[in-house]
Amino acid sequence: MKVKFVTLGCKVNQYESEAMLESMEQGGFQPAEREEQADVVVVNSCTVTAQSDQKARQALRRAKKQNPGAVAVLTGCWPQAFPGEAEAFLEADVVLGTANRRALLPRVLEYLSTKQRVVDIQAHSPGEGFEKLSVSGLQGRTRAFLKIEDGCNRFCSYCIIPYARGRVRSKPLSDIQEEARLLAGRGYQEIVLTGINLPAYGQDIGLHLCDAVEAVCGVEGICRVRLGSLEPEQLTPPVIKRFAAQEKLCPQFHLSLQSGCGETLRRMNRHYTPAEYRKIVEDLREAFPGCAITTDVMVGFAGETEEEFQESLRFVEDIGFARVHVFAYSRRPGTKAYNAPDQVPAPVKEARSKRMSAAARAGQQAYYQGQLGKIYPVLFEQETGGQIYEGHTPQYTPVRVQSSRPLSGKVLPVLLTAAEEEFCTGVLAEEQGT
């Protein structure tokens, strides 16, 4: 029988979908090709915004239409955070949450046997351990994700994720090393460490994110280790010093900002000030010259005045981010900010998004321009057409190179020659005699 996954949301969800797919394969199922009919379709949902829930509904309905008669499975963050809503969504034959992903295979088999709808959403519990999941790779990718942490204890006022993921739980170091060696053996040269609150790794088991970084960097065959999204205030000088000692660690740090205004950060229940954030960026740039600092910025949060927005905008312009994901605040039922006063009208949020996005594009172009004329090792991932291959530098700058020979999966030095809107172009250094 054939199974197909539809994954919505973050890199952690992508990792978990791959892990669930491998568990289904061990049970005798085969992955369906893109246009092939499947007997089971699984929608792994996100619930960051109310729109995310709607996307999950739409994805499942679309999957059922494209795969008539298939068993429809809804899993992930939406059912976990809002079990009543998910259970009432009768178009799903099997409904699971985030606390029992390993139940996917037995619950699908149960439905196939009984034809009775299955709803199995287990609550997260205090003190629960890290759910043992592993992957041997990600289909169609040259870099591999490795999930090392789950859960979040922060409770930002706009965020539902602690309710969907439970408290912080960390993967044992020995399991991390074992999985990294497996991925290296399968030819992956770059590993991206992921988690719901990645810097919280180890809080529950007496370890630190630095321990996980050092463990993976020590695996033979892995030439790059990259970090997922980071909460900035946890990057203290001693942590940055330990990071800088690892030559394999990519000099790209995604420090979640959300706002460059201190008063807005306070209402968001974020745990740093703009001045503290700036100091962390300075420390990283000193330890990793030329590193890329990327971030997320929210506009139009509840109570954000024009003056506060201007303060955030100036901060983003001053920092000079390599890339900024700009998004407008979306009210999320179940969060403290949902009922906060002074909600910002949609047209104002849209206008602020455009202004912030313009600043983000300018910063990205400035960063790209600063890399021109330099040589960087590029991990090539895919051919985009016409013998054009695309890959990324250690700083995660997208690079395109024309070549008559296949480059996918190779790490080669590239001289960057021009900056386009979303990527740089370059030539293989060996062809320039450099």
Side-chain angles (χ1 to χ4, degrees), residues 65-197:
K65 183 177 181 180
Q66 295 171 347
N67 301 272
V71 180
V73 180
L74 174 65
T75 187
C77 290
W78 175 39
Q80 192 70 40
F82 300 98
E85 290 183 11
E87 185 170 359
F89 185 54
L90 298 179
E91 291 166 83
D93 302 311
V94 178
V95 183
L96 304 171
T98 62
N100 59 334
R101 298 176 193 83
R102 287 183 293 177
L104 175 61
L105 176 60
R107 293 297 176 261
V108 168
L109 294 176
E110 178 183 340
Y111 179 83
L112 287 171
S113 174
T114 66
K115 301 301 179 184
Q116 297 296 310
R117 190 167 188 254
V118 177
V119 178
D120 183 9
I121 305 172
Q122 297 182 13
H124 287 292
S125 58
E128 67 179 302
F130 187 89
E131 184 180 19
K132 188 174 177 61
L133 295 173
S134 64
V135 303
S136 57
L138 290 175
Q139 292 186 345
R141 296 181 182 271
T142 55
R143 68 170 54 83
F145 299 145
L146 202 171
K147 176 187 166 186
I148 66 171
E149 185 274 342
D150 206 341
C152 184
N153 302 344
R154 295 174 60 84
F155 290 92
C156 298
S157 63
Y158 54 82
C159 187
I160 198 69
I161 295 305
Y163 303 95
R165 288 283 180 169
R167 303 293 77 79
V168 168
R169 308 178 302 283
S170 304
K171 190 167 192 167
L173 205 58
S174 59
D175 290 350
I176 292 174
Q177 291 173 312
E178 179 182 352
E179 190 167 342
R181 285 193 289 266
L182 173 63
L183 293 167
R186 290 181 174 268
Y188 289 92
Q189 299 183 69
E190 180 177 316
I191 288 182
V192 184
L193 301 183
T194 65
I196 297 301
N197 182 3

Side-chain angles (χ1 to χ4, degrees), residues 197-272:
N197 182 3
L198 188 60
Y201 174 82
Q203 289 180 2
D204 55 325
I205 57 175
L207 293 173
H208 192 277
L209 177 59
C210 292
D211 297 308
V213 170
E214 290 162 0
V216 179
C217 285
V219 173
E220 187 176 351
I222 299 298
C223 65
R224 289 184 182 179
V225 177
R226 194 179 298 277
L227 298 176
S229 182
L230 301 165
E231 295 299 332
E233 77 279 5
Q234 300 185 51
L235 297 190
T236 62
V239 170
I240 293 174
K241 183 177 180 180
R242 286 182 69 178
F243 282 171
Q246 300 303 313
E247 294 182 359
K248 294 182 181 180
L249 183 63
C250 290
Q252 180 241 336
F253 303 94
H254 190 87
L255 306 182
S256 182
L257 174 62
Q258 305 306 343
S259 177
C261 169
E263 184 58 27
T264 305
L265 289 173
R266 185 191 64 79
R267 292 197 304 275
M268 290 177 169
N269 195 33
R270 301 292 286 173
H271 300 266
Y272 50 87

